[in-house]
Every structure is written in C-alpha cells, then in structure tokens.
Amino acid sequence: NDVYKSVSQFLTIPKRSKKNVFLLSKSEAKSALNILISKHCSIGPALSLFISFQQFESAYELLNSIENEQEKIDHFINDVCLPVVFNNFTQKFTDFIMKIDKNLEKTGFLWDAAIDFFTKKEMPQGLIFALQVENKLEDAAIVGFESLKNCTSFVTEFSILGNIIINLKTSINY
C-alpha cells in the first residue's frame, strides 16, 4: 500500500503548479506502476519487481510471454523463485500458484527445474519452497533437517523447526 501511495504521489502534479492536483486511486497507482515496470525494465528486473510488489499475476503473464523454454526456466528460478524466497512471500505465492495451476499442469516443468537448480547449488530455502509447492512435504522436511546441521542462528533454527513441523503435520493429514 505504501508503494502505491508513493507512486500516486510521484505521478501527481506538484502543488506549486497552477494545474489541478489529483491523487491516483490504489488501482490506478497499481496500473501506473505496472506500466512503468513493463515499459522501462527488461524481463528479469521486471519479473523481480513484480514479485517484490506482490504483483504475481503480472509476473506470471510476463513469464508466460517467454517462448524459449530454457530462458523461461532461467527467469523463473532467478527472477521469480529467488525474490519470492528473499521477500518471504512463499505462502502468498504458493496460494497464487494453487489458484491458477492447482495440479501444476502448466508450471510443473518450472518447479522441477527449480528443484534441480536448488539441489545442485545447495540452496535449502529455495529447495524447501519448491518442494512444498510440489507437495513433496516429507522431502522438504528432510532438507530442513539437513539444513539444521549447518545452522548457527537460534532464530533460523526456530524457523526451520517450525517449517519442518508444519510440513510433517500437513503430510500426515494430507
């Protein structure tokens, strides 16, 4: 909301101007922000910004405009998954994906590629996220246990343990 308010203020005419001053509504500010990002950013930065502003639908549409499968995979991993994890939007993004692609029929190959990437690069947080989306909750819990071995922060340990518990409880109830 603060971002859209800032965009609205940025796009308004300065008060010292003789023209009438107007503020954009939230939806107008969102639309203006999306236009600015789309027009002035290349695909990678645009995807990252859409994710950072929680404009998942815009990011998904832009990602789907990429025809080359390998390029789409690379952008998905680097400009979608990593910003989702970095911004701690994993649950919100997972909810979005489940709404538009519940059985991962459209995006399954992207998640498989992300799992391969995060496994090879030894990036447990990204791997846990991708495994959770694919509903491989026991595997996500195992990765969580493995990442505890190298954990040096109590706060991180606490977070990982909570994540492990949720994954195991959900897999039992599923």
Side-chain angles (χ1 to χ4, degrees), residues 92-110:
K92 288 179 182 179
F93 190 75
T94 301
D95 293 344
F96 168 77
I97 289 295
M98 291 300 116
K99 263 199 265 184
I100 60 166
D101 190 18
K102 186 172 180 83
N103 297 320
L104 303 181
E105 293 168 355
K106 300 174 201 165
T107 60
F109 75 100
L110 296 171

Side-chain angles (χ1 to χ4, degrees), residues 6-23:
S6 297
V7 169
S8 177
Q9 289 171 347
F10 172 74
L11 294 174
T12 57
I13 299 168
K15 290 184 180 180
R16 61 180 172 265
S17 169
K18 292 183 180 181
K19 297 180 181 179
N20 291 334
V21 176
F22 65 95
L23 287 176

Side-chain angles (χ1 to χ4, degrees), residues 11-164:
L11 294 174
T12 57
I13 299 168
K15 290 184 180 180
R16 61 180 172 265
S17 169
K18 292 183 180 181
K19 297 180 181 179
N20 291 334
V21 176
F22 65 95
L23 287 176
L24 298 174
S25 69
K26 185 176 177 180
S27 65
E28 291 171 327
K30 278 184 180 181
S31 179
L33 182 62
N34 288 352
I35 290 168
L36 285 171
I37 291 170
S38 297
K39 298 266 187 226
H40 300 288
C41 295
S42 59
I43 291 175
L47 286 168
S48 294
L49 284 169
F50 284 139
I51 295 298
S52 295
F53 294 133
Q54 298 182 51
Q55 297 298 306
F56 303 141
E57 190 168 311
S58 298
Y60 184 74
E61 289 172 10
L62 180 58
L63 185 68
N64 280 329
S65 73
I66 302 169
E67 292 182 19
N68 180 291
E69 187 173 301
Q70 187 56 52
E71 186 180 348
K72 185 181 284 194
I73 289 169
D74 292 344
H75 281 295
F76 178 72
I77 292 167
N78 295 303
D79 304 317
V80 175
C81 287
L82 290 175
V84 164
V85 172
F86 177 78
N87 288 299
N88 199 24
F89 295 151
T90 54
Q91 190 57 53
K92 288 179 182 179
F93 190 75
T94 301
D95 293 344
F96 168 77
I97 289 295
M98 291 300 116
K99 263 199 265 184
I100 60 166
D101 190 18
K102 186 172 180 83
N103 297 320
L104 303 181
E105 293 168 355
K106 300 174 201 165
T107 60
F109 75 100
L110 296 171
W111 294 106
D112 291 341
I115 289 170
D116 290 343
F117 175 84
F118 292 130
T119 301
K120 287 176 188 165
K121 298 293 183 180
E122 298 181 5
M123 300 173 74
Q125 292 306 106
L127 180 56
I128 289 169
F129 166 54
L131 289 168
Q132 287 172 328
V133 171
E134 283 204 346
N135 201 30
K136 297 178 179 175
L137 302 177
E138 296 89 352
D139 293 339
I142 290 168
V143 172
F145 281 122
E146 288 297 317
S147 66
L148 280 176
K149 292 178 183 176
N150 301 322
C151 194
T152 58
S153 163
F154 173 74
V155 174
T156 305
E157 285 177 352
F158 187 76
S159 174
I160 292 170
L161 283 171
N163 202 333
I164 290 168

